[in-house]
Amino acid sequence: MNRNMNTGRLLYMICLLAFSAVGGKLEAQTVVQPVEQQHDSIKYAPIHQIGFDIRPGYVAPTNSFLEGDNAQQKRINQSLSLHLKYAFRFSKDSNLGRLYPHAYQGIGISYNTFYCPAELGNPVAVYAFQGARIMQVSPRLSFDYEWNFGASFGWKKYDGQYYPQNEVIGSKINAYINLGLVLNWQLHPQWKLAAGVDLTHFSNGNTHYPNGGLNVIGGRIGVVRTFGEEDASTDVPKRLYVKPHISYDLVIYGATRKRGFVKDGVPSLVPGSFGVAGLNFAPMYNFNNYFRAGLSLDAQYDESANIKDYKLEGSFMDDLKFHRPPFREQFAVGLSLRAEWVMPIFSINAGIGRNLICSGDDTKGFYQILALKTYVTRHLFLHVGYQLSKFKDPNNLMLGLGYRFHDKR
């Protein structure tokens, strides 16, 4: 019960962080603008749109449970999801509309089925999303990208007694991540048809075991209705461009995690959950409207790091006990290369780094980071990230707050 509540709280925070800048205040249009531009959202009304998607998919066979080792004794290799989405775009006369003329962002809800409700359930996902144009193919056809990020509810999770083969889903609430490439056909000034391909991942961020996760490769087809679209015959305002400059991001984060390990060929799960806390400081060079990159100094304390080396003698599988590792084996400091895709309201940050001050196998080597930043003011942002270790091992969530210094956007 406590483990499920803990997972639920973490993924509730993910939803809250992702929606905070979209769901309530359209003044978020100004969060990356100088003070003299802060009346932009009042002067220029946003453009609203409603969309509906159907997304069939193929479930990647990453686990024996999906390959047929389940109660049905059948492969679980198909999925279908139905999506209802609301989004808004900035007026083309507004400052953000001139900086990011084709960006849209909003919130969505989806119903998902894997044709195995007894063992996986039919989860519902609630998410934030954002997209923009990659290229204009023809006057009526554009090639766009779109990402979705949120939480999914209503899973049937692993149960040692009733669903012992289901090592894919370890909790009733799981993160939902999707990336799609879409062709949009403007068949009417206020109607679009959309079709494309996408990748979807469901997992619980290592807050609960098992955490095999579920991956879907799929397609999508949908329709979008726009309200308040400007007359296409009017002149397009001159684009605005960001001057290159250096800004500085400070992030403080925390989370909880589970810890499993394999020793002498025997897999084990350490009882309980463990705290994680960290700090990142990253000078970033802003190259243009869309891209910034730099180095980050990363410090992290992981209460579970290297605990496998401190197993209490005489404790066994049903009653595992451990000594607490020394602080030097739980704390690490590293440097990472960071790149960030910058859009209004949201930025996506990716990094690869290596710990330089560390002790013990769990903190040695490379780590990778993927994070979503959601701006709540011009300088303050919410941070939802995930860290991998050594390019393959799931590590921990990174839920926190950040502040940007010397921002000239």
mmCIF file of all heavy atoms in Angstrom, residues 176-204:
data_model
loop_
_atom_site.group_PDB
_atom_site.id
_atom_site.type_symbol
_atom_site.label_atom_id
_atom_site.label_comp_id
_atom_site.label_asym_id
_atom_site.label_seq_id
_atom_site.Cartn_x
_atom_site.Cartn_y
_atom_site.Cartn_z
ATOM 1 N N TYR A 176 3.826 8.429 -19.022
ATOM 2 C CA TYR A 176 3.494 8.263 -20.435
ATOM 3 C C TYR A 176 4.335 9.247 -21.240
ATOM 4 O O TYR A 176 4.304 10.449 -20.985
ATOM 5 C CB TYR A 176 2.003 8.533 -20.651
ATOM 6 C CG TYR A 176 1.611 8.800 -22.092
ATOM 7 C CD1 TYR A 176 1.560 7.765 -23.020
ATOM 8 C CD2 TYR A 176 1.297 10.083 -22.516
ATOM 9 C CE1 TYR A 176 1.199 8.012 -24.334
ATOM 10 C CE2 TYR A 176 0.938 10.332 -23.834
ATOM 11 C CZ TYR A 176 0.887 9.294 -24.740
ATOM 12 O OH TYR A 176 0.547 9.539 -26.031
ATOM 13 N N ILE A 177 5.131 8.737 -22.193
ATOM 14 C CA ILE A 177 5.997 9.572 -23.024
ATOM 15 C C ILE A 177 5.785 9.174 -24.480
ATOM 16 O O ILE A 177 5.791 7.976 -24.812
ATOM 17 C CB ILE A 177 7.482 9.390 -22.651
ATOM 18 C CG1 ILE A 177 7.709 9.717 -21.170
ATOM 19 C CG2 ILE A 177 8.371 10.265 -23.510
ATOM 20 C CD1 ILE A 177 9.088 9.341 -20.665
ATOM 21 N N ASN A 178 5.593 10.166 -25.349
ATOM 22 C CA ASN A 178 5.334 9.890 -26.758
ATOM 23 C C ASN A 178 6.026 10.932 -27.624
ATOM 24 O O ASN A 178 6.053 12.120 -27.287
ATOM 25 C CB ASN A 178 3.824 9.904 -27.023
ATOM 26 C CG ASN A 178 3.478 9.803 -28.492
ATOM 27 O OD1 ASN A 178 3.461 10.799 -29.208
ATOM 28 N ND2 ASN A 178 3.190 8.603 -28.946
ATOM 29 N N LEU A 179 6.595 10.489 -28.756
ATOM 30 C CA LEU A 179 7.175 11.385 -29.740
ATOM 31 C C LEU A 179 6.680 10.982 -31.114
ATOM 32 O O LEU A 179 6.795 9.812 -31.504
ATOM 33 C CB LEU A 179 8.704 11.328 -29.700
ATOM 34 C CG LEU A 179 9.433 12.164 -30.761
ATOM 35 C CD1 LEU A 179 9.147 13.659 -30.552
ATOM 36 C CD2 LEU A 179 10.925 11.893 -30.725
ATOM 37 N N GLY A 180 6.126 11.958 -31.868
ATOM 38 C CA GLY A 180 5.568 11.657 -33.169
ATOM 39 C C GLY A 180 6.059 12.593 -34.254
ATOM 40 O O GLY A 180 6.417 13.750 -33.997
ATOM 41 N N LEU A 181 6.081 12.097 -35.492
ATOM 42 C CA LEU A 181 6.346 12.872 -36.694
ATOM 43 C C LEU A 181 5.068 12.845 -37.526
ATOM 44 O O LEU A 181 4.538 11.766 -37.818
ATOM 45 C CB LEU A 181 7.519 12.282 -37.474
ATOM 46 C CG LEU A 181 8.858 12.268 -36.741
ATOM 47 C CD1 LEU A 181 9.903 11.526 -37.566
ATOM 48 C CD2 LEU A 181 9.335 13.693 -36.446
ATOM 49 N N VAL A 182 4.592 14.038 -37.929
ATOM 50 C CA VAL A 182 3.235 14.162 -38.471
ATOM 51 C C VAL A 182 3.238 15.003 -39.742
ATOM 52 O O VAL A 182 3.892 16.052 -39.809
ATOM 53 C CB VAL A 182 2.291 14.811 -37.430
ATOM 54 C CG1 VAL A 182 0.859 14.823 -37.941
ATOM 55 C CG2 VAL A 182 2.368 14.083 -36.096
ATOM 56 N N LEU A 183 2.471 14.550 -40.731
ATOM 57 C CA LEU A 183 2.149 15.349 -41.909
ATOM 58 C C LEU A 183 0.785 15.993 -41.696
ATOM 59 O O LEU A 183 -0.200 15.292 -41.408
ATOM 60 C CB LEU A 183 2.129 14.488 -43.164
ATOM 61 C CG LEU A 183 3.492 14.069 -43.740
ATOM 62 C CD1 LEU A 183 3.281 13.016 -44.826
ATOM 63 C CD2 LEU A 183 4.240 15.271 -44.291
ATOM 64 N N ASN A 184 0.706 17.317 -41.786
ATOM 65 C CA ASN A 184 -0.550 18.050 -41.624
ATOM 66 C C ASN A 184 -0.996 18.615 -42.969
ATOM 67 O O ASN A 184 -0.250 19.368 -43.612
ATOM 68 C CB ASN A 184 -0.366 19.201 -40.623
ATOM 69 C CG ASN A 184 -0.449 18.713 -39.197
ATOM 70 O OD1 ASN A 184 -1.465 18.195 -38.768
ATOM 71 N ND2 ASN A 184 0.644 18.850 -38.462
ATOM 72 N N TRP A 185 -2.196 18.257 -43.372
ATOM 73 C CA TRP A 185 -2.766 18.722 -44.632
ATOM 74 C C TRP A 185 -3.876 19.721 -44.336
ATOM 75 O O TRP A 185 -4.876 19.386 -43.717
ATOM 76 C CB TRP A 185 -3.291 17.553 -45.455
ATOM 77 C CG TRP A 185 -3.924 17.963 -46.748
ATOM 78 C CD1 TRP A 185 -3.579 19.014 -47.545
ATOM 79 C CD2 TRP A 185 -5.030 17.319 -47.388
ATOM 80 N NE1 TRP A 185 -4.391 19.077 -48.644
ATOM 81 C CE2 TRP A 185 -5.290 18.036 -48.581
ATOM 82 C CE3 TRP A 185 -5.818 16.206 -47.078
ATOM 83 C CZ2 TRP A 185 -6.318 17.684 -49.452
ATOM 84 C CZ3 TRP A 185 -6.833 15.843 -47.949
ATOM 85 C CH2 TRP A 185 -7.072 16.571 -49.115
ATOM 86 N N GLN A 186 -3.699 20.979 -44.764
ATOM 87 C CA GLN A 186 -4.672 22.044 -44.540
ATOM 88 C C GLN A 186 -5.742 21.943 -45.623
ATOM 89 O O GLN A 186 -5.653 22.522 -46.698
ATOM 90 C CB GLN A 186 -3.988 23.411 -44.605
ATOM 91 C CG GLN A 186 -4.849 24.559 -44.126
ATOM 92 C CD GLN A 186 -4.849 24.699 -42.618
ATOM 93 O OE1 GLN A 186 -3.794 24.681 -42.005
ATOM 94 N NE2 GLN A 186 -6.023 24.824 -42.024
ATOM 95 N N LEU A 187 -6.820 21.192 -45.342
ATOM 96 C CA LEU A 187 -7.843 21.005 -46.358
ATOM 97 C C LEU A 187 -8.897 22.109 -46.348
ATOM 98 O O LEU A 187 -9.713 22.199 -47.265
ATOM 99 C CB LEU A 187 -8.501 19.634 -46.227
ATOM 100 C CG LEU A 187 -9.061 19.192 -44.874
ATOM 101 C CD1 LEU A 187 -10.458 19.672 -44.630
ATOM 102 C CD2 LEU A 187 -9.032 17.678 -44.815
ATOM 103 N N HIS A 188 -8.870 22.971 -45.294
ATOM 104 C CA HIS A 188 -9.794 24.091 -45.148
ATOM 105 C C HIS A 188 -9.104 25.083 -44.215
ATOM 106 O O HIS A 188 -8.287 24.674 -43.384
ATOM 107 C CB HIS A 188 -11.125 23.598 -44.571
ATOM 108 C CG HIS A 188 -12.158 24.667 -44.403
ATOM 109 N ND1 HIS A 188 -12.226 25.482 -43.287
ATOM 110 C CD2 HIS A 188 -13.178 25.058 -45.215
ATOM 111 C CE1 HIS A 188 -13.244 26.325 -43.423
ATOM 112 N NE2 HIS A 188 -13.835 26.088 -44.584
ATOM 113 N N PRO A 189 -9.379 26.390 -44.306
ATOM 114 C CA PRO A 189 -8.711 27.336 -43.407
ATOM 115 C C PRO A 189 -8.799 26.978 -41.928
ATOM 116 O O PRO A 189 -7.919 27.348 -41.144
ATOM 117 C CB PRO A 189 -9.416 28.664 -43.705
ATOM 118 C CG PRO A 189 -9.829 28.542 -45.131
ATOM 119 C CD PRO A 189 -10.203 27.093 -45.321
ATOM 120 N N GLN A 190 -9.842 26.234 -41.525
ATOM 121 C CA GLN A 190 -9.988 25.887 -40.109
ATOM 122 C C GLN A 190 -9.982 24.382 -39.837
ATOM 123 O O GLN A 190 -10.284 23.965 -38.727
ATOM 124 C CB GLN A 190 -11.271 26.523 -39.564
ATOM 125 C CG GLN A 190 -11.189 28.058 -39.532
ATOM 126 C CD GLN A 190 -12.428 28.699 -38.941
ATOM 127 O OE1 GLN A 190 -13.546 28.272 -39.211
ATOM 128 N NE2 GLN A 190 -12.229 29.727 -38.131
ATOM 129 N N TRP A 191 -9.639 23.594 -40.835
ATOM 130 C CA TRP A 191 -9.603 22.144 -40.649
ATOM 131 C C TRP A 191 -8.294 21.571 -41.194
ATOM 132 O O TRP A 191 -7.849 21.937 -42.278
ATOM 133 C CB TRP A 191 -10.775 21.461 -41.365
ATOM 134 C CG TRP A 191 -12.100 21.692 -40.714
ATOM 135 C CD1 TRP A 191 -12.994 22.691 -40.994
ATOM 136 C CD2 TRP A 191 -12.676 20.922 -39.661
ATOM 137 N NE1 TRP A 191 -14.095 22.584 -40.194
ATOM 138 C CE2 TRP A 191 -13.940 21.503 -39.360
ATOM 139 C CE3 TRP A 191 -12.275 19.793 -38.943
ATOM 140 C CZ2 TRP A 191 -14.782 21.004 -38.382
ATOM 141 C CZ3 TRP A 191 -13.112 19.282 -37.963
ATOM 142 C CH2 TRP A 191 -14.347 19.892 -37.691
ATOM 143 N N LYS A 192 -7.706 20.637 -40.442
ATOM 144 C CA LYS A 192 -6.508 19.922 -40.877
ATOM 145 C C LYS A 192 -6.711 18.421 -40.700
ATOM 146 O O LYS A 192 -7.363 17.983 -39.748
ATOM 147 C CB LYS A 192 -5.287 20.317 -40.036
ATOM 148 C CG LYS A 192 -4.737 21.699 -40.268
ATOM 149 C CD LYS A 192 -3.512 21.901 -39.386
ATOM 150 C CE LYS A 192 -2.954 23.314 -39.537
ATOM 151 N NZ LYS A 192 -1.770 23.516 -38.652
ATOM 152 N N LEU A 193 -6.152 17.668 -41.628
ATOM 153 C CA LEU A 193 -5.991 16.232 -41.439
ATOM 154 C C LEU A 193 -4.538 15.961 -41.069
ATOM 155 O O LEU A 193 -3.626 16.554 -41.657
ATOM 156 C CB LEU A 193 -6.351 15.467 -42.710
ATOM 157 C CG LEU A 193 -7.836 15.319 -43.038
ATOM 158 C CD1 LEU A 193 -8.012 14.562 -44.353
ATOM 159 C CD2 LEU A 193 -8.586 14.593 -41.920
ATOM 160 N N ALA A 194 -4.325 15.090 -40.097
ATOM 161 C CA ALA A 194 -2.970 14.791 -39.626
ATOM 162 C C ALA A 194 -2.732 13.293 -39.676
ATOM 163 O O ALA A 194 -3.598 12.500 -39.274
ATOM 164 C CB ALA A 194 -2.775 15.308 -38.202
ATOM 165 N N ALA A 195 -1.569 12.886 -40.170
ATOM 166 C CA ALA A 195 -1.199 11.473 -40.204
ATOM 167 C C ALA A 195 0.303 11.359 -40.002
ATOM 168 O O ALA A 195 1.070 12.203 -40.477
ATOM 169 C CB ALA A 195 -1.611 10.836 -41.532
ATOM 170 N N GLY A 196 0.711 10.308 -39.292
ATOM 171 C CA GLY A 196 2.143 10.164 -39.044
ATOM 172 C C GLY A 196 2.485 8.896 -38.301
ATOM 173 O O GLY A 196 1.682 7.958 -38.217
ATOM 174 N N VAL A 197 3.686 8.874 -37.740
ATOM 175 C CA VAL A 197 4.187 7.728 -36.978
ATOM 176 C C VAL A 197 4.664 8.227 -35.623
ATOM 177 O O VAL A 197 5.000 9.406 -35.462
ATOM 178 C CB VAL A 197 5.346 7.021 -37.716
ATOM 179 C CG1 VAL A 197 4.853 6.400 -39.003
ATOM 180 C CG2 VAL A 197 6.493 7.987 -37.995
ATOM 181 N N ASP A 198 4.695 7.331 -34.636
ATOM 182 C CA ASP A 198 5.168 7.754 -33.315
ATOM 183 C C ASP A 198 5.714 6.592 -32.505
ATOM 184 O O ASP A 198 5.532 5.427 -32.850
ATOM 185 C CB ASP A 198 4.084 8.503 -32.534
ATOM 186 C CG ASP A 198 2.812 7.696 -32.339
ATOM 187 O OD1 ASP A 198 2.845 6.469 -32.546
ATOM 188 O OD2 ASP A 198 1.782 8.291 -31.970
ATOM 189 N N LEU A 199 6.406 6.952 -31.432
ATOM 190 C CA LEU A 199 6.954 6.016 -30.451
ATOM 191 C C LEU A 199 6.379 6.371 -29.089
ATOM 192 O O LEU A 199 6.308 7.549 -28.728
ATOM 193 C CB LEU A 199 8.481 6.097 -30.400
ATOM 194 C CG LEU A 199 9.241 5.794 -31.687
ATOM 195 C CD1 LEU A 199 10.736 6.102 -31.487
ATOM 196 C CD2 LEU A 199 9.071 4.335 -32.087
ATOM 197 N N THR A 200 6.008 5.348 -28.320
ATOM 198 C CA THR A 200 5.410 5.567 -26.997
ATOM 199 C C THR A 200 6.098 4.684 -25.963
ATOM 200 O O THR A 200 6.434 3.531 -26.255
ATOM 201 C CB THR A 200 3.897 5.242 -27.022
ATOM 202 O OG1 THR A 200 3.258 6.037 -28.007
ATOM 203 C CG2 THR A 200 3.269 5.519 -25.660
ATOM 204 N N HIS A 201 6.309 5.236 -24.769
ATOM 205 C CA HIS A 201 6.921 4.476 -23.674
ATOM 206 C C HIS A 201 6.102 4.689 -22.409
ATOM 207 O O HIS A 201 5.748 5.817 -22.063
ATOM 208 C CB HIS A 201 8.355 4.946 -23.444
ATOM 209 C CG HIS A 201 9.025 4.301 -22.274
ATOM 210 N ND1 HIS A 201 9.370 2.967 -22.240
ATOM 211 C CD2 HIS A 201 9.398 4.812 -21.060
ATOM 212 C CE1 HIS A 201 9.932 2.676 -21.090
ATOM 213 N NE2 HIS A 201 9.959 3.781 -20.354
ATOM 214 N N PHE A 202 5.801 3.583 -21.719
ATOM 215 C CA PHE A 202 5.143 3.607 -20.418
ATOM 216 C C PHE A 202 6.097 2.982 -19.391
ATOM 217 O O PHE A 202 6.618 1.882 -19.605
ATOM 218 C CB PHE A 202 3.846 2.792 -20.423
ATOM 219 C CG PHE A 202 2.771 3.288 -21.342
ATOM 220 C CD1 PHE A 202 2.645 2.771 -22.630
ATOM 221 C CD2 PHE A 202 1.869 4.256 -20.931
ATOM 222 C CE1 PHE A 202 1.645 3.204 -23.473
ATOM 223 C CE2 PHE A 202 0.866 4.701 -21.771
ATOM 224 C CZ PHE A 202 0.746 4.173 -23.054
ATOM 225 N N SER A 203 6.321 3.663 -18.264
ATOM 226 C CA SER A 203 7.079 3.068 -17.156
ATOM 227 C C SER A 203 6.843 3.903 -15.909
ATOM 228 O O SER A 203 6.239 4.975 -15.968
ATOM 229 C CB SER A 203 8.575 2.993 -17.470
ATOM 230 O OG SER A 203 9.156 4.278 -17.439
ATOM 231 N N ASN A 204 7.351 3.406 -14.757
ATOM 232 C CA ASN A 204 7.100 4.123 -13.502
ATOM 233 C C ASN A 204 8.323 4.865 -12.978
ATOM 234 O O ASN A 204 8.354 5.279 -11.826
ATOM 235 C CB ASN A 204 6.542 3.175 -12.427
ATOM 236 C CG ASN A 204 7.504 2.055 -12.072
ATOM 237 O OD1 ASN A 204 8.713 2.268 -11.969
ATOM 238 N ND2 ASN A 204 6.978 0.851 -11.883
#
